[in-house]
Amino acid sequence: MLYAAIASGSIVVIGRRFVQTSEDKNQAEAEYRYTLTRVRENGESIALLGGEQEERDGIDKTFTRSIAAMGAARGPAHAHHTVSQGSSLIAPVVPLLLCAPKFLDGSMTLDR
């Protein structure tokens, strides 16, 4: 029970942060895609008005935000992966460790 509570609690704590950072990352990526699409669709107007540098600055700004959001999401994603994979590796071992003392003193067998 203690093992299950620790594993579940860890996933809940990590998951809260993971959801928000994932949403932030998706929002930043969507803004970047929108900016690129807008520039592509209005390329002729931008060129005629001489707004290339201003548009480049806007693209660079949204790209930088997108990269920063990806970096921020990497930590919680890695922590979630580590806890879930660690839990799947430890789960088969815990029952054996709990039964080992009784098996070793002969009060329990592993027969069916």
Side-chain angles (χ1 to χ4, degrees), residues 27-48:
Q27 180 66 34
E29 289 174 356
E31 289 174 8
Y32 180 60
R33 285 191 304 271
Y34 171 76
T35 302
L36 291 175
T37 301
R38 188 180 52 77
V39 168
R40 183 183 65 204
E41 290 175 354
N42 298 314
E44 289 180 22
S45 299
I46 293 167
L48 286 173

Side-chain angles (χ1 to χ4, degrees), residues 53-83:
Q53 187 58 44
E54 184 178 331
E55 292 299 328
R56 167 60 72 183
D57 292 343
I59 290 170
D60 289 345
K61 189 168 129 182
T62 56
F63 181 71
T64 302
R65 256 189 267 147
S66 178
I67 294 297
M70 284 183 206
R74 190 178 320 136
H78 180 69
H80 181 270
H81 179 75
T82 300
V83 170

Side-chain angles (χ1 to χ4, degrees), residues 9-10 14 73 76 91 100 104 112:
S10 299
I14 292 167
L104 292 174
R112 287 184 174 198

